[in-house]
Amino acid sequence: MTNQRKRLLSVKGIKKSFSNNHVLKGIDLDVYPGEVHVLLGENGAGKSTLIKILTGAYQKGAGEVYWEDQLVKINTPQDSMELGIATIYQELNVVPQLKVYENIFLGRELKNGSRRSMLNQKEMRKKAGEYLEQLGQNRDLADRPLEELGIGQQQLVEIAKALTIDAKLIIMDEPTASLSGAEVEQLYSTVESLTKKGIAIVFISHRLDEIKRMGDRITILRDGFKIETLDVSKTSTDYWIELMVGRSLDEKYPKKSFALGKEGFRVENLLVDGTKEPVNFQVNYGEIVGVSGLVGAGRTEMARAIFGADAHHGGEIFIDGQLVKIKSPKDAIKAGIAFITEDRKNEGLLLDQPLDFNIALANMKMFRNSMQLVDLKNIRTKAEEYIKELKVRPSDVELNARKLSGGNQQKVVIAKWLCTEAKVFIFDEPTRGIDVGAKVEVYRLMNQLVENGAVVLMISSDLPEIIGMCDRVLVMSEGRITANLPIGHATQERIMKAATANEDSASEVMKAATGG
Amino acid sequence: MKKRSTLLAILCTGVLALAGCSGQSEEGNGSAGNTEDLQVQMILKTLSHPYWKSVEAGAKQAAEDLGVSVEVNGPPSEADVIDQVNMIDNAISQSADALVVAPSQPSTVANVFDLAKSSDIPVLLVDTDADWEDKVTFIGTDNFSAGKEAGEYLASLLKEGDKVALVEGAKGNLATDERIDGAKEALEAAGIEIAAQLPADSDKFEAAAVIDAILQNHSDLAGVFAANDDMAIGALSATDQAGVQIPIVGINGGEEATELIINGKLAASVAQSPFDMGYMGVENAVKAINGDEIEKRIPTPIKVVTEENAEEHLQEIQ
Amino acid sequence: MSEATMEKQKTARDHSWKWFLSKFGALIGLIILTVVLTFMSDKFLTVNNIMNIARQSSINALLAIGMLLPILTAGIDLSVGSILAISIMTMGIVSVNMGMSPVVGIIVCLAVGAGFGLLNGLLLTKLRLPHPFISTLGTMNIARGLALIITAAAPIAGFPYLIQYLGREFVGPIPVSFVLVIFVYIIFHIFLTRTQTGRYIYAIGGNREAAHLSGINVDRILIIVYTVSGLMAGLAGLVMVGRVNSAFPLAGLSYELDAIAAVIIGGASFFGGVGTVWGTLIGALIIAVLRNGLNLLNVSADFQMAVIGIVIIAAVYVDVLRQRNSKKG
């Protein structure tokens, strides 16, 4: 059906290299008006580079770009914008301190006709309200400071911005990565209404279920090559994965079950900053416990409180039934807790330090020799062991962490915590933004940890991942645990219901959940 | 590739900058050093002030007249004391034939002067003296005489029994103290009454405040002597504000003060001779190298700048 | 497979290029400078003059190695020049005015330096002032003010020999002050590369939050960092007093800027986490060689300042290029 229509964007034989590193080796891509075109590929396959060429951030090395069948040159972001291409990055391009309408018109402010230097705020407010209304929002939103909005609404502001430039193509780079379930639903319907207007969407995502739901066509990239473009509805996700990784994966979720052991970790009456009701739960040996909930439900805050990273008010933590006092991350590490944070770059790694230093960082004590000096050779040997074990690529321990892809960076963070010889592992969104191959490796590693006698707690917003990998799931809402479900009883619907529970309905859900 | 060439460009620029500046100085050295091999190194408090430029000009003039080579150096500011010591160090290791120094902080130069002595390099001081036994001489204004001349001029404008105020520099500043002593002697000899004598730290605003206070107690004040120009100018602003017109005399003969003399605002200022300090510094350095006998203390000329000769003086210092 | 080998080659090549720039950029600069100056002045490359440079660089070298620590933690210490002044003025009062033993004087000098450094650290970590720029700007003024107040701005001269020893004496032709510098730098090298605290300093500068979450007591390390910086200011002051046998309240005025320049020329990053002891030494030597060389060539001080400015900008630009290069890869 699409073939009869006029192509909106067509790129042919795009190549790009950085010094001698060939990132794109000849990409073809056609995008038709009104379609949702998904780009799928492992990290480093060339998706981001392709997007950056289309938005004018990079210059292409070779190849041609056609816009509505006209050969065009995109040299600057300005060129791209003038054609009608808008991009919504994972990290939103907004100014939190400004109001919504000011953000929408940022850089393209409307001026008063007579006095060119004066801003026409009334008109901007009105127009912004109209665009927001088209996106199913209240027009009053235009006047609120952006920082008061949730991530989902901030994203809508970016989409409204795209509408103001009459964008015909909106590129979205992992738009759902930081959204909660309800916000994701909102985005789906927004995308639907955009495509109805004939706007094309180029969509980057790692979430296969989401692609299945939203996408019309899918283009799979691998190692800088375009592998194939497929109709989403006519092909299976397993086939995509096979094309994407170049081999078939045994399983998406390589879950291994072990015999449930005794209690390894228990949290009692922990009051997380800003919540009224204390948190209580325990994790046994032999199981992986998931923590689900919407963004802002207090999952990360709870983990940070357990770890002593932020102040917490009361509450006790037991490891192997023994009370441990935790006032700082130092205490937590001493007690045998590892915390693999959500944000690798800002909380996990020293990006400009070599891998061996990163790996040894949380347990430097172990590497001190009799003179109290750090044994550099020992660090190196140990780091090399972990790098080999976790298959970190490239495997050079002297390389700075910045040079690695997201998946490999995550492995280095995990290696750092393995190096502390911890007993309790708290993973916070361990697979966010990493490719399918690396995800499977992270899952296998969790299995291995459990097998070797560690306690594993995994915070995740990815429901299939929770259902696929965990034995039990805790659901949080507004800083409280609203459900504690064995995985056999946990359906996506049940989890979502508990995750959206408010204070009144909480006990009811709790009852229903544990009862069912 | 691109990065490498950029790096190269940076390095080249640096080298060229060096080459450019050294080229100039080599020329300067060449023309002066040919006639004779003697080399005098002059290190001043700084070169970034008209007063010191004038000392430098005097030294260069002497170099030309005597056919010796002179290098004049000084740190960016008078506060860069250690920089100045380093410069003296460098001059010694370049085996200069004589050193002429105006120390920024007289207490800091003794150690490095000892070093010069052990290398048999004669050391002369200009403008500011230092407490170091082996100096050849100190060439500079005789502050007592400067004060005395200022006092005599002020007395000539007044009559016996008139009251004057003396504005001192910072407590413990030898130069300004000597000027005050000189002025006091002259004024008292003429039968003028010293109504008040207060320190103002060589600062304009402090001096204005001091004179304000004195005028409160002595409405019949007939004249002011300030130990430098800045304080004289400060005193003037205070008397102007009070609507009093009395003669004010300062010391230095600087540009601002000279212009105020031309405008009839200040009565006089006793000018020092920075040019002569530079000239005599080099002249005596050559004598010292030749082993001639030199006075331990050589005063440089002073000149009372009044309405009569102010125009002429202004042209000279500019 | 080909991808793997390519990756390997790429990292090897990147590595050598980066290695070259970050480790040897400053050294190559110093060598070029030395060669150029040797050609331009026959007085430059003499034993006498080299020893002059060694001596003249020592005060800044001591301040700079102290400054390296705050800069490694993505901080700054603006107060070192003023701390130097207050340290030597108190030493002067104790050992000259009060006539106490020179050993007491030296201890007082170092203790006052370390004490003001400790104050910087406490202001930063306990009062939670937003940036060390602010806390050290405050102590910079406090220390300078006190240095002027305690003797009513008068200089103190006539220090005992023992106090003058470090700044004045020679071991053979080598100034004791430079021997001290080398000794201190070796200690710092071991401290920064081989002790837990030293490694933590790099970690905090590289990523403060990651360091905190890796169990590092960030506040404690920062307090150590600023205390050591202050201690080095005291030690630099001791060398200065030996050099000129005099303590004066305006001593060390704006020396913090030279120290920062040495650290930055030496390849340390203002964003923290990157920088070495030997780079800093080369940075301090480049500044001293430039001053000395331009001095020998009779280039005016005003022009010297401009040249040093150019060198700072060039050095940091090289760092920017390196960063840009490594981020792209």
Side-chain angles (χ1 to χ4, degrees):
Chain A
M1 53 144 199
T2 44
N3 289 346
Q4 284 103 40
R5 277 196 283 156
K6 204 172 160 192
R7 281 173 303 198
L8 176 64
L9 171 79
S10 173
V11 303
K12 293 198 164 71
I14 296 278
K15 292 184 181 171
K16 175 74 187 172
S17 44
F18 296 108
S19 45
N20 287 329
N21 186 14
H22 305 284
V23 179
L24 298 182
K25 300 165 187 165
I27 303 268
D28 299 333
L29 180 71
D30 289 331
V31 180
Y32 293 90
E35 75 163 337
V36 176
H37 196 122
V38 180
L39 291 182
L40 184 66
E42 292 191 277
N43 287 341
K47 292 165 303 194
S48 306
T49 310
L50 178 60
I51 297 305
K52 283 187 175 150
I53 287 171
L54 290 178
T55 56
Y58 288 164
Q59 306 287 306
K60 63 181 187 301
E64 288 148 356
V65 177
Y66 295 88
W67 181 260
E68 295 175 327
D69 291 335
Q70 301 285 317
L71 183 65
V72 291
K73 281 209 168 102
I74 302 175
N75 292 326
T76 63
Q78 200 63 38
D79 293 346
S80 169
M81 230 198 275
E82 272 164 19
L83 289 176
I85 300 176
T87 311
I88 293 161
Y89 292 100
Q90 217 174 325
E91 308 208 337
L92 297 177
N93 221 337
V94 290
V95 185
Q97 292 82 359
L98 294 183
K99 293 196 170 155
V100 168
Y101 78 88
E102 289 171 316
N103 267 291
I104 290 177
F105 288 99
L106 192 64
R108 288 164 291 102
E109 288 82 359
L110 302 178
K111 308 272 170 66
N112 267 336
S114 51
R115 282 153 58 195
R116 300 282 303 159
S117 57
M118 297 298 285
L119 296 177
N120 191 343
Q121 285 172 322
K122 207 169 135 197
E123 183 68 13
M124 282 196 279
R125 238 179 232 137
K126 192 171 143 242
K127 278 255 171 75
E130 283 167 14
Y131 287 122
L132 290 167
E133 219 162 33
Q134 287 179 34
L135 297 173
Q137 296 294 309
N138 193 329
R139 46 167 60 233
D140 295 343
L141 195 65
D143 223 14
R144 294 203 14 220
L146 189 107
E147 55 195 344
E148 289 179 7
L149 274 51
I151 301 283
Q153 277 188 316
Q154 293 191 7
Q155 211 171 49
L156 286 173
V157 170
E158 288 253 58
I159 295 174
K161 215 163 150 180
L163 295 179
T164 65
I165 63 161
D166 289 323
K168 292 176 180 157
L169 173 65
I170 300 179
I171 299 169
M172 298 184 181
D173 189 359
E174 295 207 51
T176 58
S178 44
L179 297 190
S180 64
E183 287 171 330
V184 170
E185 289 300 323
Q186 163 81 53
L187 182 69
Y188 289 166
S189 63
T190 305
V191 165
E192 210 168 301
S193 73
L194 291 173
T195 51
K196 272 196 192 127
K197 285 185 195 151
I199 295 172
I201 311 283
V202 168
F203 198 88
I204 296 181
S205 177
H206 285 302
R207 295 190 182 172
L208 302 179
D209 55 330
E210 173 176 295
I211 297 171
K212 203 78 196 170
R213 213 182 132 179
M214 293 178 64
D216 295 318
R217 294 195 305 150
I218 178 167
T219 292
I220 292 161
L221 307 182
R222 188 174 77 223
D223 297 339
F225 290 106
K226 176 194 136 176
I227 304 300
E228 232 181 309
T229 299
L230 304 162
D231 271 341
V232 167
S233 54
K234 292 179 190 152
T235 44
S236 75
T237 50
D238 288 346
Y239 182 53
W240 302 343
I241 292 171
E242 222 175 287
L243 293 180
M244 177 169 69
V245 298
R247 65 196 136 91
S248 64
L249 285 174
D250 335 355
E251 281 173 82
K252 244 194 304 177
Y253 299 112
K255 171 71 184 154
K256 273 195 193 170
S257 289
F258 303 96
L260 196 63
K262 64 180 176 62
E263 175 201 288
F265 180 65
R266 186 168 86 240
V267 172
E268 270 185 17
N269 298 320
L270 182 76
L271 264 175
V272 180
D273 216 18
T275 64
K276 284 165 255 155
E277 216 171 297
V279 168
N280 286 291
F281 70 91
Q282 107 285 348
V283 185
N284 292 12
Y285 287 109
E287 66 171 349
I288 297 177
V289 173
V291 181
S292 188
L294 305 181
V295 168
R299 295 169 300 169
T300 299
E301 289 77 1
M302 178 186 77
R304 286 180 67 93
I306 292 171
F307 198 63
D310 297 322
H312 62 88
H313 313 286
E316 288 170 336
I317 289 155
F318 298 86
I319 294 176
D320 289 333
Q322 297 288 313
L323 179 70
V324 289
K325 282 251 178 273
I326 295 174
K327 281 192 181 139
S328 68
K330 197 178 175 181
D331 296 340
I333 292 167
K334 211 184 265 171
I337 303 176
F339 180 33
I340 295 92
T341 50
E342 176 182 4
D343 185 343
R344 291 184 287 279
K345 289 194 170 148
N346 290 321
E347 297 174 340
L349 289 168
L350 311 174
L351 289 172
D352 291 312
Q353 294 290 346
L355 301 187
D356 56 355
F357 185 26
N358 270 290
I359 290 171
L361 184 63
N363 194 12
M364 207 62 103
K365 229 180 245 158
M366 186 169 100
F367 301 101
R368 279 195 311 212
N369 63 18
S370 53
M371 288 173 65
Q372 296 301 307
L373 294 181
V374 175
D375 186 341
L376 300 177
K377 213 183 261 171
N378 194 357
I379 287 185
R380 205 191 152 104
T381 318
K382 195 85 188 169
E384 272 166 351
E385 274 171 32
Y386 282 118
I387 278 172
K388 204 169 159 199
E389 191 185 325
L390 300 182
K391 302 194 191 72
V392 177
R393 295 279 173 281
S395 59
D396 181 355
V397 290
E398 281 179 32
L399 211 58
N400 286 353
R402 190 186 291 284
K403 298 252 173 181
L404 270 53
S405 69
N408 284 301
Q409 287 182 341
Q410 184 68 319
K411 289 184 201 167
V412 173
V413 175
I414 293 172
K416 171 170 87 176
W417 291 108
L418 291 176
C419 193
T420 64
E421 295 166 342
K423 207 180 265 175
V424 178
F425 284 80
I426 304 172
F427 288 89
D428 193 359
E429 305 284 1
T431 63
R432 168 169 294 170
I434 71 178
D435 60 64
V436 177
K439 274 185 186 176
V440 173
E441 288 181 56
V442 170
Y443 298 144
R444 289 225 170 88
L445 197 95
M446 286 185 188
N447 283 334
Q448 207 183 321
L449 284 171
V450 176
E451 189 171 10
N452 294 345
V455 172
V456 176
L457 190 69
M458 173 171 72
I459 298 169
S460 174
S461 297
D462 187 348
L463 280 181
E465 171 174 282
I466 293 248
I467 294 170
M469 281 308 297
C470 298
D471 300 279
R472 196 150 56 87
V473 57
L474 306 169
V475 187
M476 287 186 77
S477 173
E478 295 175 359
R480 292 162 300 132
I481 292 179
T482 51
N484 179 355
L485 303 165
I487 217 66
H489 294 216
T491 58
Q492 298 217 8
E493 289 69 33
R494 252 192 190 148
I495 293 175
M496 283 316 297
K497 198 171 173 196
T500 51
N502 57 31
E503 216 157 321
D504 306 324
S505 61
S507 52
E508 203 179 310
V509 175
M510 194 77 182
K511 225 178 285 166
T514 40
Chain B
M1 283 310 123
K2 200 178 142 209
K3 281 138 240 155
R4 213 164 298 192
S5 56
T6 320
L7 177 70
L8 207 67
I10 293 167
L11 290 171
C12 289
T13 320
V15 172
L16 280 179
L18 280 171
C21 58
S22 73
Q24 288 173 350
S25 64
E26 261 174 1
E27 257 174 61
N29 285 353
S31 62
N34 281 345
T35 39
E36 232 179 294
D37 280 342
L38 289 187
Q39 205 219 19
V40 177
Q41 291 259 7
M42 178 177 275
I43 291 135
L44 304 177
K45 293 186 186 182
T46 177
L47 292 181
S48 48
H49 189 280
Y51 179 88
W52 298 107
K53 293 279 186 212
S54 177
V55 177
E56 183 184 12
K60 294 279 184 203
Q61 185 63 49
E64 212 182 300
D65 292 352
L66 302 170
V68 295
S69 154
V70 174
E71 281 187 9
V72 185
N73 248 319
S77 120
E78 289 193 29
D80 298 328
V81 177
I82 301 297
D83 263 5
Q84 193 191 34
V85 174
N86 287 343
M87 286 177 170
I88 300 171
D89 243 359
N90 292 340
I92 295 168
S93 76
Q94 284 182 72
S95 43
D97 295 297
L99 281 175
V100 183
V101 178
S104 296
Q105 186 82 53
S107 68
T108 61
V109 286
N111 272 3
V112 71
F113 283 173
D114 285 342
L115 220 70
K117 190 189 162 199
S118 65
S119 307
D120 287 326
I121 301 173
V123 177
L124 294 81
L125 290 152
V126 290
D127 179 77
T128 305
D129 202 1
D131 183 19
W132 184 63
E133 277 184 3
D134 298 302
K135 67 191 165 206
V136 174
T137 179
F138 165 55
I139 301 164
T141 306
D142 179 348
N143 285 306
F144 185 85
S145 315
K148 196 168 168 191
E149 292 231 12
E152 277 164 5
Y153 184 75
L154 183 57
S156 74
L157 301 175
L158 305 171
K159 56 182 193 301
E160 216 177 303
D162 275 352
K163 285 181 179 174
V164 295
L166 305 183
V167 186
E168 302 174 311
K171 279 276 179 220
N173 181 331
L174 206 64
T176 49
D177 283 353
E178 282 174 4
R179 292 172 192 171
I180 291 289
D181 290 346
K184 212 169 171 178
E185 189 182 285
L187 289 163
E188 278 169 351
I192 310 279
E193 186 192 335
I194 312 291
Q197 180 178 343
L198 285 168
D201 299 355
S202 299
D203 182 82
K204 256 183 215 172
F205 299 102
E206 192 66 34
V210 164
I211 293 300
D212 267 343
I214 294 174
L215 283 172
Q216 296 291 321
N217 297 331
H218 305 278
S219 52
D220 55 345
L221 197 71
V224 175
F225 167 71
N228 77 5
D229 276 353
D230 275 352
M231 292 191 290
I233 294 164
L236 177 65
S237 74
T239 53
D240 268 359
Q241 203 127 64
V244 185
Q245 275 202 321
I246 52 173
I248 299 170
V249 177
I251 285 185
N252 255 0
E255 204 170 313
E256 194 182 354
T258 309
E259 271 164 7
L260 287 167
I261 293 169
I262 294 170
N263 296 337
K265 295 287 214 175
L266 284 181
S269 177
V270 178
Q272 306 194 63
S273 315
F275 185 90
D276 290 322
M277 286 181 205
Y279 194 98
M280 290 159 78
V282 172
E283 195 179 39
N284 285 289
V286 173
K287 277 190 199 164
I289 296 165
N290 294 334
D292 295 348
E293 195 68 23
I294 297 169
E295 288 283 320
K296 271 280 183 192
R297 175 73 177 88
I298 303 174
T300 44
I302 46 177
K303 176 170 74 176
V304 182
V305 180
T306 64
E307 220 167 344
E308 278 163 34
N309 60 359
E311 294 272 6
E312 186 190 327
H313 177 68
L314 191 63
Q315 273 171 11
E316 265 174 38
I317 57 177
Q318 279 171 345
Chain C
M1 283 312 102
S2 68
E3 193 203 10
T5 37
M6 201 188 78
E7 184 73 39
K8 213 172 200 171
Q9 277 172 355
K10 180 176 161 271
T11 55
R13 194 177 46 80
D14 263 20
H15 195 241
S16 67
W17 167 240
K18 198 190 139 188
W19 203 65
F20 172 79
L21 260 192
S22 64
K23 303 244 161 144
F24 294 121
L27 181 61
I28 288 167
L30 180 61
I31 291 170
I32 290 176
L33 196 60
T34 309
V35 170
V36 170
L37 286 169
T38 308
F39 270 103
M40 289 189 158
S41 166
D42 53 351
K43 287 158 190 157
F44 178 75
L45 205 65
T46 61
V47 174
N48 236 338
N49 195 50
I50 297 300
M51 290 310 146
N52 265 350
I53 292 169
R55 197 152 51 124
Q56 290 166 8
S57 66
S58 56
I59 294 169
N60 189 31
L62 292 172
L63 290 174
I65 195 66
M67 182 69 74
L68 175 64
L69 305 193
I71 288 180
L72 280 177
T73 64
I76 192 93
D77 188 348
L78 296 178
S79 63
V80 292
S82 299
I83 292 181
L84 181 155
I86 184 70
S87 304
I88 61 176
M89 292 313 285
T90 43
M91 175 168 71
I93 288 176
V94 167
S95 62
V96 178
N97 297 6
M98 291 163 66
M100 283 158 88
S101 127
V103 176
V104 175
I106 290 171
I107 291 170
V108 164
C109 181
L110 298 179
V112 169
F116 271 90
L118 177 67
L119 176 66
N120 278 331
L122 292 174
L123 286 173
L124 182 66
T125 58
K126 301 299 171 203
L127 292 194
R128 300 241 157 258
L129 295 186
H131 193 279
F133 191 99
I134 295 163
S135 46
T136 60
L137 184 65
T139 40
M140 172 177 113
N141 286 300
I142 294 170
R144 181 69 65 192
L146 288 177
L148 283 157
I149 290 166
I150 53 175
T151 62
I156 299 172
F159 282 87
Y161 176 78
L162 192 64
I163 285 177
Q164 290 194 55
Y165 177 78
L166 284 178
R168 185 175 188 170
E169 285 307 315
F170 291 81
V171 183
I174 304 166
V176 172
S177 56
F178 197 71
V179 176
L180 174 74
V181 165
I182 296 299
F183 177 73
V184 166
Y185 270 62
I186 289 171
I187 299 278
F188 268 77
H189 178 73
I190 294 168
F191 171 62
L192 283 175
T193 58
R194 299 295 302 280
T195 69
Q196 201 171 319
T197 306
R199 298 315 291 160
Y200 285 175
I201 289 171
Y202 281 91
I204 289 171
N207 187 340
R208 188 171 170 160
E209 185 59 16
H212 172 59
L213 290 173
S214 297
I216 295 170
N217 188 339
V218 175
D219 284 359
R220 188 179 145 263
I221 302 289
L222 287 178
I223 289 171
I224 292 174
V225 160
Y226 285 91
T227 306
V228 171
S229 178
L231 175 69
M232 293 318 292
L235 185 61
L238 189 58
V239 169
M240 184 192 280
V241 166
R243 186 140 160 65
V244 298
N245 187 15
S246 167
F248 48 101
L250 288 185
L253 195 65
S254 74
Y255 274 27
E256 54 280 353
L257 301 181
D258 268 0
I260 294 168
V263 173
I264 296 299
I265 291 173
S269 163
F270 232 76
F271 300 108
V274 177
T276 65
V277 166
W278 303 119
T280 303
L281 182 62
I282 290 167
L285 287 175
I286 285 180
I287 292 177
V289 165
L290 264 180
R291 288 247 160 87
N292 171 277
L294 296 176
N295 214 213
L296 291 190
L297 296 172
N298 205 24
V299 176
S300 82
D302 316 357
F303 195 84
Q304 292 182 25
M305 295 209 289
V307 170
I308 289 170
I310 291 168
V311 170
I312 293 171
I313 289 168
V316 176
Y317 184 58
V318 169
D319 188 50
V320 168
L321 286 179
R322 186 171 62 78
Q323 291 258 341
R324 208 184 284 164
N325 201 27
S326 79
K327 266 172 201 159
K328 225 179 256 170

